[in-house]
Amino acid sequence: MGLWPWLTGALLLLLLLVQLSRSARFYAKVSLYCALCVSGSTLAAVICLLRHGGRTVENLSIISWFVRTFKYMFGLRFDIKGRQKLEVDHPCVIISNHQSILDMMGLMEALPKRCVQIAKRELLFMGPVGLIMYLGGVFFINRQRSRTAMTVMADVGERMVRENVPIIPVVYSSFSSFYDYKTKFFTSGTIRVEVLDAVPTSGLTVADVPKLMDSCHQAMRTTFLRISKTPQENGATAGPGSQPAQ
């Protein structure tokens, strides 16, 4: 007996499991997402190298295009309010809430073209994904070395107050109406994104940074809870216990 009947049978069995098992459907979609990340990163890296020759923030527009196509595979839609607030002609610091591996799609939907991101150093070693992040100008910090991470964030804080760089919070609604790792739930849905008003840093000192960040967090938390309670396309809403990840 040849190999094709076995492959066909395995494929049919997989399709049956996906139809019958919620967990199978969940892992199938997560696997597809990971496969898209790897294949998309590989192709984007080649284009970035051919187009710009190496590491530059200019590559972000290429990376963004690839990532923004992922949402069509999963039936996701992003409803962004206040996008024009990100169209500024001066430096700014953009902060957002973190929830899951799907965050990357949301970031690419909202971030402006020229934006330097900060990420944990471990992501640099994730094959093609780490390579494309490097080519996109991502600044990696080692969270295992708290002094290094603290130094980077302290430098950002000092620059904010020294150059009057405003902070622009970007809030994503809860993913729980369409994605939940604990219950193995992954379906289509809408992510509501709200860009808050810029928080000025003019006249502040470095000592004011902790209070400033706490104020931003409270504003983001209030917005997160409000937009997460809005009914989604599938009729679900985020529960009252939903919290924005730190």
Side-chain angles (χ1 to χ4, degrees):
M1 183 179 293
L3 180 62
W4 284 109
W6 289 101
L7 291 176
T8 302
L11 180 59
L12 290 174
L13 178 61
L14 177 61
L15 291 175
L16 180 62
L17 286 174
V18 168
Q19 292 297 320
L20 296 179
S21 170
R22 181 171 178 168
S23 293
R25 289 197 301 270
F26 175 84
Y27 285 115
K29 286 190 174 183
V30 170
S31 297
L32 175 60
Y33 179 74
C34 293
L36 286 173
C37 288
V38 173
S39 58
S41 295
T42 302
L43 184 55
V46 173
I47 296 175
C48 288
L49 288 171
L50 292 174
R51 182 77 179 271
H52 297 122
R55 175 179 168 90
T56 171
V57 72
E58 300 294 340
N59 286 326
L60 188 61
S61 60
I62 298 173
I63 300 169
S64 177
W65 184 88
F66 275 92
V67 176
R68 282 186 284 112
T69 63
F70 292 0
K71 62 179 180 286
Y72 301 113
M73 301 290 291
F74 302 98
L76 299 178
R77 188 171 69 89
F78 290 86
D79 182 10
I80 304 178
K81 178 181 178 181
R83 187 194 293 270
Q84 71 281 359
K85 297 176 184 177
L86 294 173
E87 299 173 358
V88 296
D89 56 0
H90 52 74
C92 65
V93 175
I94 300 173
I95 58 176
S96 65
N97 55 316
H98 165 68
Q99 298 184 67
S100 76
I101 60 173
L102 304 180
D103 287 339
M104 183 170 62
M105 286 192 288
L107 288 174
M108 293 299 103
E109 287 287 334
L111 291 182
K113 292 182 179 180
R114 291 180 56 84
C115 180
V116 178
Q117 302 179 57
I118 297 176
K120 59 183 180 181
R121 187 170 178 267
E122 291 85 347
L123 295 177
L124 178 60
F125 305 102
M126 291 183 62
V129 176
L131 173 61
I132 199 61
M133 292 178 71
Y134 172 81
L135 292 174
V138 172
F139 192 89
F140 296 95
I141 60 174
N142 189 346
R143 297 200 302 185
Q144 300 301 320
R145 297 181 179 179
S146 58
R147 180 175 298 180
T148 302
M150 291 291 288
T151 298
V152 171
M153 301 315 294
D155 289 344
V156 172
E158 290 180 5
R159 182 171 182 177
M160 284 192 303
V161 298
R162 184 176 64 249
E163 301 183 10
N164 294 330
V165 178
I167 300 173
I168 303 180
V170 178
V171 184
Y172 298 85
S173 63
S174 173
F175 293 172
S176 62
S177 64
F178 65 89
Y179 177 90
D180 190 322
Y181 180 79
K182 292 182 179 180
T183 61
K184 302 300 182 285
F185 178 62
F186 192 172
T187 185
S188 60
T190 298
I191 301 95
R192 288 179 167 80
V193 186
E194 188 163 328
V195 182
L196 306 188
D197 291 334
V199 179
T201 60
S202 179
L204 301 181
T205 65
V206 175
D208 297 315
V209 171
K211 184 178 179 180
L212 175 67
M213 297 311 297
D214 182 64
S215 175
C216 290
H217 178 266
Q218 291 301 322
M220 292 176 70
R221 182 177 184 277
T222 299
T223 302
F224 173 85
L225 294 175
R226 173 173 53 79
I227 64 178
S228 296
K229 290 178 180 177
T230 305
Q232 304 291 305
E233 287 181 345
N234 58 11
T237 59
S242 298
Q243 297 292 328
Q246 301 298 316

